[in-house]
């Protein structure tokens, strides 16, 4: 019987990662190939070629899930479609006004964020729906079509529609979308009531505009990818990961790409949650260091979610795994500011030209060059020896920077790592304080191409005593694709005093959302996925009457059917967060939320027996002279299987793997557990 495979692919800014698992959840192979910014699908085709060379039969892949940064990069780089926007008359400046908040509260003269759609491409339409859902003024169809014609003449290729109170009555938006698609079938058209029907006019309009802005590019990308994988004989339906850690079909992702903006980091957190669960660790801080940035997330049994994320300059209201960027990545460039202070990032060398040591024309030193200069990276073993690094180019780049600092190349390399770590610490500490956690109680789970190399430096700076490095850490985001479930979020804006609720009204609204969610799962899974089960999670955004902010409260079926119990839970949660409760105040139900999850069959754990008894590499570890902390040291150099099971090895240790290099400095010990994880612990 042929082996059935699952393929996960994560397209990053520097590398595209691919990971194949078998039907037992074991990693069959993992690889990294340079990303191609101009044609991201080509990197996937290159990966498929390499998989065939490694003996993987492409036709035996029954699940292909991938995540891409194409959407988020399109937003950040602002190179999306020429987009138009239709709004209710009187709301033309909604994207310009935003929330009237200062981006930097200490700077009264800061520049305003440039709107995604310029004002001349925003058209007002005569129509009006009241907050109750009653139509005050019918939709002016002739004016609508004229506005669409004018925008097309001005060169738009995508159009967003966001009318006032469409979240409660979408009739005008649906009518407008239908009429415009009939008149201009080439346009990418989307409406706010489809994308995210929640009260909050600016955020709803912005989410719809973002969807239109990246939709055309994402749609053509998915089309090219689908056509290409068919040439390779890959029969599995194409799926895409989402910002909430779930997945959806590529066709759905093409029509609602705004849901995939943070899919790459989210996939890593889902995989990290899976790894931590198998290892029996409940409290984890993820540390994902790639070529461009360092992302962290908090896992306390389950990942944290947020409806207040940011992509570039823009807030995103759609729920996503709560991931925060705190620093520069392995390809981030070191440079001097106007007063001669050393900085690292945010600009990245990317995959091309890449760090100076890549030998592809890059002249600026990066953190990767620094690690090579210090001896932690080995020039002829990068990517398992498939990519030769050039130490002389790294030294030359570091010397040029160091001359301005009065440092030699090695001292400059150490300074780059020190600055990068200090920058991370400066953002990490207040982030943990805002979340109300002591990081010393957590395990740092490191992954990404550069994460295992820098994680112990970060742990030492913060005071975290334990670091976990999972198997194949450089491709963990790709692994997250293989263990993701179908998952989507649905919202209903109620905005009602609890005393005004009719009997059964709350449960009726939740039942409607649940029905919508289960239908979505059925449509997504049809013909491509067999599900073990489907379940729903319920919550509500609640506040005291008169307040302007909400708390999201998870609810049980009993609390949904008995709103008084939901109010008691809100009072308790409010007191836990703020230290007080207002038992006499009225409670408002602002938004109702349902998250539907379709569980994809998977192996929940690695085969422990295989891992526990696999033969160890009997060769003695090598030794290498490195410089760290400006002190020459002798480090042991080995593979993961040379690390004893449950028997500790003292740092400094360098563990070389195909997809990453792991650096355990002096002051830490390391051992390997039966799951293949490396556990590093700070010495007392």
């Amino acid at each position: 019987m042929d082996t059935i495979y699952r393929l996960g692919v994560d397209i990053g800014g520097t590398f595209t990662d691919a990971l194949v698992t078998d039907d037992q959840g074991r990693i069959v192979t993992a690889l990294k190939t340079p990303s191609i910014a101009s044609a991201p699908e080509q990197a996937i085709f290159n990966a498929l070629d390499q998989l065939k060379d490694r003996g993987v039969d492409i036709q035996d892949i029954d699940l292909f899930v991938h995540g891409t940064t194409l959407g988020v990069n399109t937003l950040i780089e602002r190179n999306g479609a020429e987009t138009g926007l239709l709004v209710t008359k009187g709301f033309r400046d909604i994207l310009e006004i935003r929330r009237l908040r200062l981006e930097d509260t200490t700077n009264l003269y800061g520049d305003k964020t440039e709107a995604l759609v310029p004002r001349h491409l925003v058209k007002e339409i005569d129509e009006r729906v009241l907050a109750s859902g009653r139509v005050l003024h019918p939709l002016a169809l002739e004016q609508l079509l004229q506005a669409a014609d004018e925008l097309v003449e001005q060169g738009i290729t995508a159009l967003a529609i966001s009318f006032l109170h469409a979240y409660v009555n979408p009739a005008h938006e649906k009518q407008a979308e239908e009429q415009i698609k009939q008149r201009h079938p080439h346009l990418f058209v989307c409406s706010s009531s489809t994308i995210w029907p929640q009260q909050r006019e600016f955020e709803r309009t912005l989410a719809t505009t973002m969807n239109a802005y990246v939709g055309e590019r994402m749609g053509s990308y998915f089309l090219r990818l689908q056509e290409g994988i068919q040439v390779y004989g890959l029969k599995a339906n194409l799926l895409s990961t989402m910002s909430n850690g779930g997945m959806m079909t590529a066709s759905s992702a093409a029509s609602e790409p705004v849901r995939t903006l943070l899919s790459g980091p989210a996939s890593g957190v889902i995989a990290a949650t899976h790894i931590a669960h198998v290892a029996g660790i409940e409290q984890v801080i993820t540390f994902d260091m790639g070529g461009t940035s360092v992302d962290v997330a908090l896992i306390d049994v389950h990942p944290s979610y947020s409806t207040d994320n940011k992509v570039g300059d823009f807030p995103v209201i759609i729920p996503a795994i709560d991931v925060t960027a705190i620093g520069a990545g392995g390809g981030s460039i070191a440079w001097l500011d106007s007063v001669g202070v050393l900085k690292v990032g945010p600009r990245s060398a990317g995959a091309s030209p890449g760090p100076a040591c890549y030998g592809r024309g890059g002249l600026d030193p990066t953190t990767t060059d620094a690690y090579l200069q210090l001896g932690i990276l080995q020039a002829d073993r990068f990517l398992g020896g498939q990519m030769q690094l050039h130490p002389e180019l790294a030294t030359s780049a570091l010397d040029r920077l160091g001359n301005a600092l009065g440092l030699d190349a090695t001292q400059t390399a150490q300074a780059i790592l020190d600055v990068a770590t200090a920058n991370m610490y400066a953002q990490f500490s207040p982030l943990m304080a805002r979340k109300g956690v002591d990081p010393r109680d957590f395990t740092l789970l490191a992954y990404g191409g550069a994460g295992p190399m820098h994680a112990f430096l970060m742990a030492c700076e913060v005071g975290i005593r334990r670091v976990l490095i999972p198997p194949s850490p450089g491709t963990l985001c790709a692994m997250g694709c293989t263990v993701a479930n179908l998952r989507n979020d649905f919202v209903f804006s109620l905005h009602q005093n609890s005393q005004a609720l009719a009997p059964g009204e709350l449960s009726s609204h939740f039942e409607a959302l649940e029905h919508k969610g289960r239908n979505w799962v059925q449509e997504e899974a049809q013909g491509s996925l067999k599900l073990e089960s489907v379940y729903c999670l319920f919550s509500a955004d609640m506040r005291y009457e008169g307040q302007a902010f909400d708390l999201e409260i998870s609810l049980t079926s009993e609390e949904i059917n008995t709103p008084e119990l939901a109010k008691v839970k809100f009072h308790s949660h409010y007191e836990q967060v703020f230290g007080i409760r207002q038992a006499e105040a009225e409670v408002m139900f602002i938004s109702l939320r349902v998250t539907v999850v379709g569980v994809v069959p998977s192996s929940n754990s690695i085969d422990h027996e295989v891992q526990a008894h696999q033969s160890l590499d009997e060769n003695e570890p090598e030794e290498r002279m490195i410089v760290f902390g400006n002190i020459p040291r002798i480090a042991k150099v080995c593979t993961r299987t040379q690390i004893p099971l449950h028997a500790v090895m003292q740092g400094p240790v360098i563990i070389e793997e195909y997809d990453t290099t792991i650096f355990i400095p002096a002051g830490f010990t390391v051992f390997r557990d039966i799951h293949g994880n490396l556990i590093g612990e700070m010495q007392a």
Side-chain angles (χ1 to χ4, degrees):
M1 181 177 176
D2 292 334
T3 302
I4 302 301
Y5 299 117
R6 290 186 175 187
L7 170 62
V9 174
D10 177 61
I11 304 176
T14 306
F15 285 101
T16 291
D17 303 334
L19 183 138
V20 177
T21 60
D22 63 16
D23 49 11
Q24 298 299 314
R26 291 182 292 248
I27 297 173
V28 175
T29 188
L31 62 87
K32 300 175 81 73
T33 186
S35 295
I36 302 172
S38 59
E41 72 281 357
Q42 186 58 51
I44 296 180
F45 302 151
N46 294 343
L48 291 177
D49 286 330
Q50 294 183 50
L51 290 177
K52 288 197 297 183
D53 293 341
R54 296 187 182 194
V56 175
D57 190 337
I58 302 299
Q59 295 188 11
D60 288 337
I61 295 173
D62 77 336
L63 185 68
F64 175 25
V65 187
H66 93 308
T68 175
T69 57
L70 180 61
V72 67
N73 289 344
T74 298
L75 272 177
I76 292 173
E77 296 167 11
R78 289 180 179 255
N79 57 4
E82 189 78 3
T83 304
L85 173 63
L86 300 181
V87 296
T88 301
K89 185 176 181 180
F91 288 82
R92 186 179 185 185
D93 294 311
I94 190 167
L95 294 182
E96 303 281 350
I97 295 173
R98 295 168 64 93
R99 283 285 168 195
L100 289 177
R101 295 174 183 151
L102 292 172
E103 297 295 323
D104 180 359
T105 55
T106 63
N107 182 6
L108 298 178
Y109 303 98
D111 293 333
K112 183 179 67 173
T113 299
E114 183 181 347
L116 205 56
V117 177
R119 194 172 188 270
H120 72 275
L121 295 180
V122 182
K123 297 287 187 181
E124 297 176 297
I125 305 299
D126 281 326
E127 68 85 37
R128 192 62 176 259
V129 172
L130 300 179
S132 64
R134 183 172 69 85
V135 175
L136 182 64
H137 298 301
L139 176 65
L141 278 176
E142 187 175 335
Q143 183 193 40
L144 171 84
L145 295 176
Q146 181 181 346
D149 291 344
E150 291 174 357
L151 289 172
V152 170
E153 288 175 5
Q154 290 178 274
I156 71 159
T157 58
L159 181 65
I161 305 170
S162 182
F163 292 154
L164 193 65
H165 301 310
Y167 58 88
V168 66
N169 183 355
H172 284 179
E173 282 194 352
K174 290 181 183 294
Q175 188 179 6
E177 186 174 355
E178 181 182 343
Q179 292 290 325
I180 293 170
K181 282 182 175 179
Q182 288 180 3
R183 193 176 184 95
H184 299 286
H186 64 284
L187 273 183
F188 181 94
V189 184
C190 57
S191 58
S192 71
S193 54
T194 300
I195 300 303
W196 193 246
Q198 182 179 353
Q199 185 182 37
R200 291 174 75 179
E201 299 305 315
F202 165 64
E203 288 83 356
R204 177 166 56 88
T205 302
L206 179 61
T208 311
T209 304
M210 292 164 69
N211 193 76
Y213 188 76
V214 304
E216 183 188 40
R217 189 175 182 188
M218 290 285 283
S220 61
Y221 158 74
F222 280 122
L223 180 62
R224 296 192 306 271
L225 179 57
Q226 189 71 59
E227 291 174 347
I229 64 176
Q230 288 175 355
V231 173
Y232 279 84
L234 202 159
K235 300 174 183 177
N237 281 0
L238 178 60
L239 298 161
S240 176
T241 52
M242 302 166 65
S243 301
N244 64 5
M247 60 182 178
M248 66 199 309
T249 60
S251 58
S252 294
S255 62
E256 298 183 53
V258 71
R259 294 182 181 271
T260 72
L261 293 178
L262 300 171
S263 64
S267 297
V269 176
I270 291 300
T273 304
H274 178 80
I275 292 289
H277 173 72
V278 171
I281 300 174
E282 293 187 344
Q283 294 182 305
V284 165
I285 296 171
T286 66
F287 184 82
D288 177 10
M289 185 172 180
T292 305
S293 65
V294 177
D295 298 320
V296 298
L298 196 68
I299 301 171
D300 195 347
V301 182
H302 303 289
S304 299
Y305 290 84
S306 173
T307 57
D308 190 25
N309 295 285
K310 287 197 72 173
V311 174
D313 297 324
F314 307 111
V316 182
I317 193 175
I318 298 174
I321 287 181
D322 193 2
V323 178
T324 305
I326 64 164
S332 296
I333 293 171
W335 53 285
L336 301 181
D337 67 9
S338 58
V339 293
V341 175
L342 178 63
K343 305 284 187 180
V344 181
R347 192 162 61 93
S348 173
S352 181
C357 61
Y358 280 14
R360 296 175 176 169
L363 299 176
D364 297 315
T366 67
T367 51
T368 298
D369 295 300
Y371 274 113
L372 181 61
Q373 177 69 28
L374 296 177
I376 295 168
L377 281 177
Q378 181 80 355
D380 59 355
R381 295 180 182 175
F382 195 70
L383 280 184
Q386 295 180 9
M387 183 174 176
Q388 178 69 38
L389 300 183
H390 303 274
E392 71 283 359
L393 297 179
T395 301
S396 178
L398 290 163
D399 271 331
R400 284 193 296 273
L401 181 67
N403 287 337
L405 295 169
L407 303 175
D408 62 26
T410 301
Q411 292 169 327
T412 304
Q414 183 64 55
I416 289 172
L417 298 188
D418 291 343
V419 169
T421 306
N423 288 344
M424 294 175 202
Y425 176 79
Q427 297 186 60
F428 180 87
S429 292
L431 175 66
M432 292 299 107
R434 288 197 300 272
K435 294 180 181 297
V437 301
D438 185 342
R440 293 172 297 183
D441 297 333
F442 284 70
T443 296
L444 193 68
L445 196 156
Y447 54 96
M453 196 157 46
H454 206 93
F456 287 87
L457 310 188
M458 184 63 180
C460 189
E461 190 80 8
V462 175
I464 294 176
R465 304 196 60 83
R466 183 167 60 178
V467 179
L468 186 153
I469 313 292
S472 196
T475 56
L476 198 74
C477 289
M479 177 191 168
C481 296
T482 69
V483 297
N485 293 314
L486 285 178
R487 183 185 180 111
N488 207 352
D489 301 285
F490 299 87
V491 67
F492 176 77
S493 290
L494 181 60
H495 207 275
Q496 193 159 309
N497 188 307
S498 58
Q499 297 298 322
L501 287 172
E505 182 179 358
L506 193 65
S507 59
S508 176
H509 290 311
F510 272 113
E511 285 172 7
L513 284 178
E514 181 178 3
H515 179 71
K516 187 176 181 180
R518 289 184 180 274
N519 283 344
W520 177 87
V521 166
Q522 187 175 2
E523 291 172 3
E524 293 293 289
Q526 188 174 14
S528 60
L529 287 173
K530 295 180 180 178
L531 302 178
E532 282 186 352
S533 61
V534 178
Y535 65 90
C536 292
L537 304 172
F538 306 96
S539 64
D541 296 342
M542 302 172 68
R543 67 170 73 150
Y544 286 123
E545 191 170 28
Q547 290 183 329
F549 58 90
D550 313 323
L551 290 177
E552 184 177 354
I553 308 298
S554 61
L555 299 175
T556 64
S557 297
E558 184 181 10
E559 289 160 345
I560 289 171
N561 291 316
T562 311
E564 286 300 318
L565 294 178
K567 289 170 59 178
V568 170
K569 194 168 191 177
F570 170 76
H571 287 306
S572 177
H573 188 70
Y574 190 94
E575 185 175 21
Q576 181 181 351
V577 174
F578 297 107
I580 60 171
R581 68 166 67 200
Q582 303 177 41
E584 72 286 351
E586 294 296 339
V587 175
M588 300 283 293
F589 286 88
I590 306 301
S591 297
L592 310 182
R593 300 177 183 272
V594 169
T595 298
V596 61
V597 181
V599 180
V600 178
S602 66
S603 174
N604 291 323
S605 62
I606 298 172
D607 188 331
H608 296 176
E609 288 298 311
V610 172
Q611 290 291 339
H613 293 96
Q614 68 181 157
S615 60
L616 294 179
D617 187 338
E618 298 296 338
N619 295 325
E620 285 294 320
E622 302 174 15
E623 291 187 345
R624 182 192 304 164
M625 180 64 72
I626 67 170
V627 178
F628 189 73
N630 294 315
I631 300 173
R633 305 170 188 268
I634 295 177
K636 295 176 182 176
V637 182
C638 60
T639 63
R640 185 179 291 251
T641 54
Q642 286 177 286
I643 302 293
L645 275 171
H646 302 299
V648 299
M649 184 180 286
Q650 303 280 342
V653 178
I654 297 171
I655 301 165
E656 294 180 333
E657 301 192 296
Y658 163 76
D659 56 351
T660 193
T661 296
I662 304 164
F663 176 50
I664 298 97
F668 282 88
T669 60
V670 63
F671 67 89
R672 184 168 59 96
D673 71 8
I674 61 172
H675 309 297
N677 300 311
L678 295 178
I679 311 292
E681 295 184 337
M682 187 182 294
Q683 293 176 283

